Amino acid sequence: MIPQDQHFINMVLYIIEVMGTFAFAISGIRHAASKQYDWFGGFVCGFAVAIGGGTVRDVMLGITPFWMTTPMYMTCSFAALFFTIVFSKYLKKLDNAWFVFDTFGLALFTIAGIQKTIDCGHPFWVAIAMGCITGSAGGVIRDVLLNKEPVIFHKEIYALASVAGGFVYWGMTMLGINFALTAFVVFVLVCAIRFLAVRYHISLPIIKLKE
């Protein structure tokens, strides 16, 4: 029998993954719209972004990809497409809407990736890496599908926000802080780092080869 605490963690993780799927799907669909993709192309792009990082994580962990266990995640992507179409006029006015949804997806999937890796019995350094992959890989897949340079490699801090959240997650876990509060703090931290990095154009130094 699964301990009550584990039931709670599983429930919260499910909610986080559903919310992350919806947020990332909207981000992908908005990017597809900027390239004038049709509805089907938008759905494919949104779905690929939403499940990409989690699929890579689950394959590496040797478990069934999360979206194959329930139709909920595909339904979330359809809902994101419907939401984007219906409210397109309002989203168009919000030029940064895609960025907000993308940041939420990054933070939510970072948490889900870390906790799922821990539940599989892996050490925390692996969990931090998997959290980063879960949060970032979907964006890389999105940019490849849209024939763009992946944001993770040349724009403001992105993946490092996920890594920072992972270390805070580890520290709070070591202190015995409950999962719900840990998840909330990590979510706020990852979002804050990403928002501040974009607001103040904070990025890592570019690699320059001396001639």
Side-chain angles (χ1 to χ4, degrees), residues 183-207:
F184 175 76
V185 170
V186 172
F187 174 80
V188 172
L189 176 68
V190 173
C191 289
I193 292 174
R194 182 73 181 125
F195 289 148
L196 290 172
V198 171
R199 173 66 178 81
Y200 295 103
H201 305 289
I202 302 171
S203 60
L204 293 177
I206 296 173
I207 297 176

PDB file of all heavy atoms in Angstrom, residues 183-207:
ATOM      1  N   ALA A 183       7.464  22.643  -3.580  1.00  0.00           N
ATOM      2  CA  ALA A 183       7.046  22.831  -4.970  1.00  0.00           C
ATOM      3  C   ALA A 183       6.665  24.281  -5.227  1.00  0.00           C
ATOM      4  O   ALA A 183       7.016  24.856  -6.268  1.00  0.00           O
ATOM      5  CB  ALA A 183       5.875  21.905  -5.291  1.00  0.00           C
ATOM      6  N   PHE A 184       5.970  24.892  -4.292  1.00  0.00           N
ATOM      7  CA  PHE A 184       5.546  26.289  -4.448  1.00  0.00           C
ATOM      8  C   PHE A 184       6.754  27.212  -4.522  1.00  0.00           C
ATOM      9  O   PHE A 184       6.829  28.088  -5.394  1.00  0.00           O
ATOM     10  CB  PHE A 184       4.639  26.700  -3.289  1.00  0.00           C
ATOM     11  CG  PHE A 184       4.263  28.155  -3.307  1.00  0.00           C
ATOM     12  CD1 PHE A 184       3.302  28.625  -4.192  1.00  0.00           C
ATOM     13  CD2 PHE A 184       4.881  29.064  -2.450  1.00  0.00           C
ATOM     14  CE1 PHE A 184       2.965  29.987  -4.222  1.00  0.00           C
ATOM     15  CE2 PHE A 184       4.543  30.412  -2.476  1.00  0.00           C
ATOM     16  CZ  PHE A 184       3.583  30.867  -3.367  1.00  0.00           C
ATOM     17  N   VAL A 185       7.710  27.031  -3.607  1.00  0.00           N
ATOM     18  CA  VAL A 185       8.901  27.897  -3.572  1.00  0.00           C
ATOM     19  C   VAL A 185       9.707  27.735  -4.851  1.00  0.00           C
ATOM     20  O   VAL A 185      10.173  28.729  -5.446  1.00  0.00           O
ATOM     21  CB  VAL A 185       9.769  27.572  -2.339  1.00  0.00           C
ATOM     22  CG1 VAL A 185      11.118  28.293  -2.425  1.00  0.00           C
ATOM     23  CG2 VAL A 185       9.046  27.972  -1.061  1.00  0.00           C
ATOM     24  N   VAL A 186       9.886  26.501  -5.306  1.00  0.00           N
ATOM     25  CA  VAL A 186      10.657  26.254  -6.528  1.00  0.00           C
ATOM     26  C   VAL A 186       9.956  26.867  -7.734  1.00  0.00           C
ATOM     27  O   VAL A 186      10.601  27.467  -8.607  1.00  0.00           O
ATOM     28  CB  VAL A 186      10.880  24.744  -6.727  1.00  0.00           C
ATOM     29  CG1 VAL A 186      11.498  24.464  -8.098  1.00  0.00           C
ATOM     30  CG2 VAL A 186      11.790  24.194  -5.628  1.00  0.00           C
ATOM     31  N   PHE A 187       8.640  26.738  -7.786  1.00  0.00           N
ATOM     32  CA  PHE A 187       7.877  27.338  -8.885  1.00  0.00           C
ATOM     33  C   PHE A 187       8.105  28.847  -8.939  1.00  0.00           C
ATOM     34  O   PHE A 187       8.402  29.411 -10.004  1.00  0.00           O
ATOM     35  CB  PHE A 187       6.390  27.038  -8.714  1.00  0.00           C
ATOM     36  CG  PHE A 187       5.498  27.729  -9.726  1.00  0.00           C
ATOM     37  CD1 PHE A 187       5.353  27.207 -11.002  1.00  0.00           C
ATOM     38  CD2 PHE A 187       4.846  28.908  -9.406  1.00  0.00           C
ATOM     39  CE1 PHE A 187       4.559  27.847 -11.954  1.00  0.00           C
ATOM     40  CE2 PHE A 187       4.048  29.557 -10.344  1.00  0.00           C
ATOM     41  CZ  PHE A 187       3.895  29.019 -11.620  1.00  0.00           C
ATOM     42  N   VAL A 188       7.965  29.508  -7.806  1.00  0.00           N
ATOM     43  CA  VAL A 188       8.145  30.964  -7.747  1.00  0.00           C
ATOM     44  C   VAL A 188       9.575  31.339  -8.118  1.00  0.00           C
ATOM     45  O   VAL A 188       9.814  32.307  -8.861  1.00  0.00           O
ATOM     46  CB  VAL A 188       7.794  31.497  -6.344  1.00  0.00           C
ATOM     47  CG1 VAL A 188       8.168  32.972  -6.219  1.00  0.00           C
ATOM     48  CG2 VAL A 188       6.311  31.300  -6.053  1.00  0.00           C
ATOM     49  N   LEU A 189      10.545  30.574  -7.619  1.00  0.00           N
ATOM     50  CA  LEU A 189      11.954  30.881  -7.891  1.00  0.00           C
ATOM     51  C   LEU A 189      12.285  30.772  -9.369  1.00  0.00           C
ATOM     52  O   LEU A 189      12.901  31.686  -9.947  1.00  0.00           O
ATOM     53  CB  LEU A 189      12.859  29.938  -7.090  1.00  0.00           C
ATOM     54  CG  LEU A 189      14.364  30.091  -7.355  1.00  0.00           C
ATOM     55  CD1 LEU A 189      14.859  31.427  -6.821  1.00  0.00           C
ATOM     56  CD2 LEU A 189      15.145  28.943  -6.740  1.00  0.00           C
ATOM     57  N   VAL A 190      11.884  29.666 -10.001  1.00  0.00           N
ATOM     58  CA  VAL A 190      12.180  29.465 -11.424  1.00  0.00           C
ATOM     59  C   VAL A 190      11.532  30.571 -12.254  1.00  0.00           C
ATOM     60  O   VAL A 190      12.161  31.147 -13.152  1.00  0.00           O
ATOM     61  CB  VAL A 190      11.708  28.080 -11.898  1.00  0.00           C
ATOM     62  CG1 VAL A 190      11.872  27.943 -13.413  1.00  0.00           C
ATOM     63  CG2 VAL A 190      12.488  26.977 -11.196  1.00  0.00           C
ATOM     64  N   CYS A 191      10.278  30.889 -11.959  1.00  0.00           N
ATOM     65  CA  CYS A 191       9.588  31.958 -12.688  1.00  0.00           C
ATOM     66  C   CYS A 191      10.279  33.301 -12.475  1.00  0.00           C
ATOM     67  O   CYS A 191      10.475  34.073 -13.428  1.00  0.00           O
ATOM     68  CB  CYS A 191       8.128  32.055 -12.238  1.00  0.00           C
ATOM     69  SG  CYS A 191       7.082  30.682 -12.776  1.00  0.00           S
ATOM     70  N   ALA A 192      10.669  33.589 -11.227  1.00  0.00           N
ATOM     71  CA  ALA A 192      11.305  34.870 -10.920  1.00  0.00           C
ATOM     72  C   ALA A 192      12.639  35.014 -11.657  1.00  0.00           C
ATOM     73  O   ALA A 192      12.932  36.077 -12.225  1.00  0.00           O
ATOM     74  CB  ALA A 192      11.523  34.988  -9.407  1.00  0.00           C
ATOM     75  N   ILE A 193      13.437  33.950 -11.665  1.00  0.00           N
ATOM     76  CA  ILE A 193      14.727  34.002 -12.360  1.00  0.00           C
ATOM     77  C   ILE A 193      14.523  34.251 -13.845  1.00  0.00           C
ATOM     78  O   ILE A 193      15.198  35.083 -14.458  1.00  0.00           O
ATOM     79  CB  ILE A 193      15.522  32.699 -12.135  1.00  0.00           C
ATOM     80  CG1 ILE A 193      15.963  32.592 -10.677  1.00  0.00           C
ATOM     81  CG2 ILE A 193      16.743  32.640 -13.065  1.00  0.00           C
ATOM     82  CD1 ILE A 193      16.636  31.273 -10.342  1.00  0.00           C
ATOM     83  N   ARG A 194      13.573  33.533 -14.423  1.00  0.00           N
ATOM     84  CA  ARG A 194      13.308  33.682 -15.859  1.00  0.00           C
ATOM     85  C   ARG A 194      12.784  35.076 -16.189  1.00  0.00           C
ATOM     86  O   ARG A 194      13.237  35.716 -17.151  1.00  0.00           O
ATOM     87  CB  ARG A 194      12.303  32.614 -16.295  1.00  0.00           C
ATOM     88  CG  ARG A 194      11.973  32.624 -17.775  1.00  0.00           C
ATOM     89  CD  ARG A 194      13.099  32.096 -18.619  1.00  0.00           C
ATOM     90  NE  ARG A 194      12.744  32.138 -20.026  1.00  0.00           N
ATOM     91  CZ  ARG A 194      13.436  32.735 -20.974  1.00  0.00           C
ATOM     92  NH1 ARG A 194      14.559  33.359 -20.669  1.00  0.00           N
ATOM     93  NH2 ARG A 194      13.044  32.718 -22.226  1.00  0.00           N
ATOM     94  N   PHE A 195      11.834  35.579 -15.398  1.00  0.00           N
ATOM     95  CA  PHE A 195      11.276  36.907 -15.640  1.00  0.00           C
ATOM     96  C   PHE A 195      12.348  37.989 -15.513  1.00  0.00           C
ATOM     97  O   PHE A 195      12.440  38.900 -16.339  1.00  0.00           O
ATOM     98  CB  PHE A 195      10.135  37.200 -14.662  1.00  0.00           C
ATOM     99  CG  PHE A 195       8.884  36.410 -14.928  1.00  0.00           C
ATOM    100  CD1 PHE A 195       8.054  36.021 -13.882  1.00  0.00           C
ATOM    101  CD2 PHE A 195       8.522  36.037 -16.216  1.00  0.00           C
ATOM    102  CE1 PHE A 195       6.900  35.294 -14.114  1.00  0.00           C
ATOM    103  CE2 PHE A 195       7.370  35.312 -16.468  1.00  0.00           C
ATOM    104  CZ  PHE A 195       6.553  34.945 -15.425  1.00  0.00           C
ATOM    105  N   LEU A 196      13.166  37.885 -14.464  1.00  0.00           N
ATOM    106  CA  LEU A 196      14.208  38.889 -14.248  1.00  0.00           C
ATOM    107  C   LEU A 196      15.278  38.834 -15.332  1.00  0.00           C
ATOM    108  O   LEU A 196      15.803  39.872 -15.760  1.00  0.00           O
ATOM    109  CB  LEU A 196      14.846  38.692 -12.870  1.00  0.00           C
ATOM    110  CG  LEU A 196      13.960  39.045 -11.667  1.00  0.00           C
ATOM    111  CD1 LEU A 196      14.629  38.624 -10.364  1.00  0.00           C
ATOM    112  CD2 LEU A 196      13.654  40.544 -11.648  1.00  0.00           C
ATOM    113  N   ALA A 197      15.608  37.605 -15.769  1.00  0.00           N
ATOM    114  CA  ALA A 197      16.621  37.457 -16.814  1.00  0.00           C
ATOM    115  C   ALA A 197      16.179  38.130 -18.107  1.00  0.00           C
ATOM    116  O   ALA A 197      16.971  38.789 -18.789  1.00  0.00           O
ATOM    117  CB  ALA A 197      16.902  35.974 -17.057  1.00  0.00           C
ATOM    118  N   VAL A 198      14.904  37.978 -18.442  1.00  0.00           N
ATOM    119  CA  VAL A 198      14.385  38.611 -19.661  1.00  0.00           C
ATOM    120  C   VAL A 198      14.238  40.120 -19.472  1.00  0.00           C
ATOM    121  O   VAL A 198      14.574  40.902 -20.353  1.00  0.00           O
ATOM    122  CB  VAL A 198      13.029  37.974 -20.047  1.00  0.00           C
ATOM    123  CG1 VAL A 198      12.368  38.754 -21.187  1.00  0.00           C
ATOM    124  CG2 VAL A 198      13.233  36.521 -20.455  1.00  0.00           C
ATOM    125  N   ARG A 199      13.752  40.502 -18.297  1.00  0.00           N
ATOM    126  CA  ARG A 199      13.535  41.934 -18.028  1.00  0.00           C
ATOM    127  C   ARG A 199      14.831  42.723 -18.110  1.00  0.00           C
ATOM    128  O   ARG A 199      14.882  43.830 -18.654  1.00  0.00           O
ATOM    129  CB  ARG A 199      12.900  42.107 -16.645  1.00  0.00           C
ATOM    130  CG  ARG A 199      12.763  43.547 -16.176  1.00  0.00           C
ATOM    131  CD  ARG A 199      11.778  44.322 -17.033  1.00  0.00           C
ATOM    132  NE  ARG A 199      11.590  45.690 -16.563  1.00  0.00           N
ATOM    133  CZ  ARG A 199      12.408  46.690 -16.822  1.00  0.00           C
ATOM    134  NH1 ARG A 199      13.491  46.493 -17.576  1.00  0.00           N
ATOM    135  NH2 ARG A 199      12.162  47.903 -16.361  1.00  0.00           N
ATOM    136  N   TYR A 200      15.914  42.141 -17.575  1.00  0.00           N
ATOM    137  CA  TYR A 200      17.186  42.861 -17.522  1.00  0.00           C
ATOM    138  C   TYR A 200      18.220  42.292 -18.494  1.00  0.00           C
ATOM    139  O   TYR A 200      19.407  42.609 -18.394  1.00  0.00           O
ATOM    140  CB  TYR A 200      17.732  42.843 -16.102  1.00  0.00           C
ATOM    141  CG  TYR A 200      16.843  43.600 -15.132  1.00  0.00           C
ATOM    142  CD1 TYR A 200      15.997  42.926 -14.249  1.00  0.00           C
ATOM    143  CD2 TYR A 200      16.820  44.992 -15.117  1.00  0.00           C
ATOM    144  CE1 TYR A 200      15.166  43.616 -13.366  1.00  0.00           C
ATOM    145  CE2 TYR A 200      15.999  45.694 -14.242  1.00  0.00           C
ATOM    146  CZ  TYR A 200      15.169  44.999 -13.376  1.00  0.00           C
ATOM    147  OH  TYR A 200      14.351  45.690 -12.512  1.00  0.00           O
ATOM    148  N   HIS A 201      17.770  41.443 -19.414  1.00  0.00           N
ATOM    149  CA  HIS A 201      18.643  40.879 -20.459  1.00  0.00           C
ATOM    150  C   HIS A 201      19.886  40.203 -19.869  1.00  0.00           C
ATOM    151  O   HIS A 201      21.021  40.461 -20.297  1.00  0.00           O
ATOM    152  CB  HIS A 201      19.058  41.973 -21.457  1.00  0.00           C
ATOM    153  CG  HIS A 201      17.893  42.687 -22.070  1.00  0.00           C
ATOM    154  ND1 HIS A 201      17.051  42.093 -22.986  1.00  0.00           N
ATOM    155  CD2 HIS A 201      17.410  43.946 -21.879  1.00  0.00           C
ATOM    156  CE1 HIS A 201      16.103  42.944 -23.347  1.00  0.00           C
ATOM    157  NE2 HIS A 201      16.290  44.080 -22.670  1.00  0.00           N
ATOM    158  N   ILE A 202      19.649  39.376 -18.872  1.00  0.00           N
ATOM    159  CA  ILE A 202      20.749  38.654 -18.218  1.00  0.00           C
ATOM    160  C   ILE A 202      20.982  37.339 -18.955  1.00  0.00           C
ATOM    161  O   ILE A 202      20.067  36.542 -19.135  1.00  0.00           O
ATOM    162  CB  ILE A 202      20.412  38.369 -16.744  1.00  0.00           C
ATOM    163  CG1 ILE A 202      20.135  39.674 -15.990  1.00  0.00           C
ATOM    164  CG2 ILE A 202      21.549  37.595 -16.078  1.00  0.00           C
ATOM    165  CD1 ILE A 202      19.595  39.473 -14.592  1.00  0.00           C
ATOM    166  N   SER A 203      22.194  37.129 -19.381  1.00  0.00           N
ATOM    167  CA  SER A 203      22.530  35.889 -20.088  1.00  0.00           C
ATOM    168  C   SER A 203      23.975  35.512 -19.787  1.00  0.00           C
ATOM    169  O   SER A 203      24.745  36.321 -19.242  1.00  0.00           O
ATOM    170  CB  SER A 203      22.338  36.060 -21.598  1.00  0.00           C
ATOM    171  OG  SER A 203      23.160  37.090 -22.098  1.00  0.00           O
ATOM    172  N   LEU A 204      24.337  34.312 -20.140  1.00  0.00           N
ATOM    173  CA  LEU A 204      25.711  33.860 -19.943  1.00  0.00           C
ATOM    174  C   LEU A 204      26.610  34.452 -21.024  1.00  0.00           C
ATOM    175  O   LEU A 204      26.142  34.804 -22.119  1.00  0.00           O
ATOM    176  CB  LEU A 204      25.777  32.333 -20.013  1.00  0.00           C
ATOM    177  CG  LEU A 204      25.073  31.566 -18.889  1.00  0.00           C
ATOM    178  CD1 LEU A 204      25.167  30.071 -19.140  1.00  0.00           C
ATOM    179  CD2 LEU A 204      25.677  31.919 -17.535  1.00  0.00           C
ATOM    180  N   PRO A 205      27.919  34.583 -20.737  1.00  0.00           N
ATOM    181  CA  PRO A 205      28.847  35.103 -21.752  1.00  0.00           C
ATOM    182  C   PRO A 205      28.863  34.209 -22.994  1.00  0.00           C
ATOM    183  O   PRO A 205      28.712  32.988 -22.905  1.00  0.00           O
ATOM    184  CB  PRO A 205      30.202  35.074 -21.033  1.00  0.00           C
ATOM    185  CG  PRO A 205      29.864  35.094 -19.578  1.00  0.00           C
ATOM    186  CD  PRO A 205      28.588  34.320 -19.456  1.00  0.00           C
ATOM    187  N   ILE A 206      29.015  34.829 -24.140  1.00  0.00           N
ATOM    188  CA  ILE A 206      29.083  34.092 -25.404  1.00  0.00           C
ATOM    189  C   ILE A 206      30.485  33.517 -25.582  1.00  0.00           C
ATOM    190  O   ILE A 206      31.485  34.169 -25.225  1.00  0.00           O
ATOM    191  CB  ILE A 206      28.763  35.028 -26.581  1.00  0.00           C
ATOM    192  CG1 ILE A 206      27.322  35.519 -26.461  1.00  0.00           C
ATOM    193  CG2 ILE A 206      28.968  34.324 -27.923  1.00  0.00           C
ATOM    194  CD1 ILE A 206      26.964  36.572 -27.484  1.00  0.00           C
ATOM    195  N   ILE A 207      30.573  32.306 -26.099  1.00  0.00           N
ATOM    196  CA  ILE A 207      31.881  31.683 -26.359  1.00  0.00           C
ATOM    197  C   ILE A 207      32.530  32.410 -27.551  1.00  0.00           C
ATOM    198  O   ILE A 207      31.940  32.500 -28.628  1.00  0.00           O
ATOM    199  CB  ILE A 207      31.732  30.198 -26.693  1.00  0.00           C
ATOM    200  CG1 ILE A 207      31.130  29.433 -25.486  1.00  0.00           C
ATOM    201  CG2 ILE A 207      33.061  29.592 -27.094  1.00  0.00           C
ATOM    202  CD1 ILE A 207      30.858  27.988 -25.761  1.00  0.00           C
TER     203      ILE A 207
END
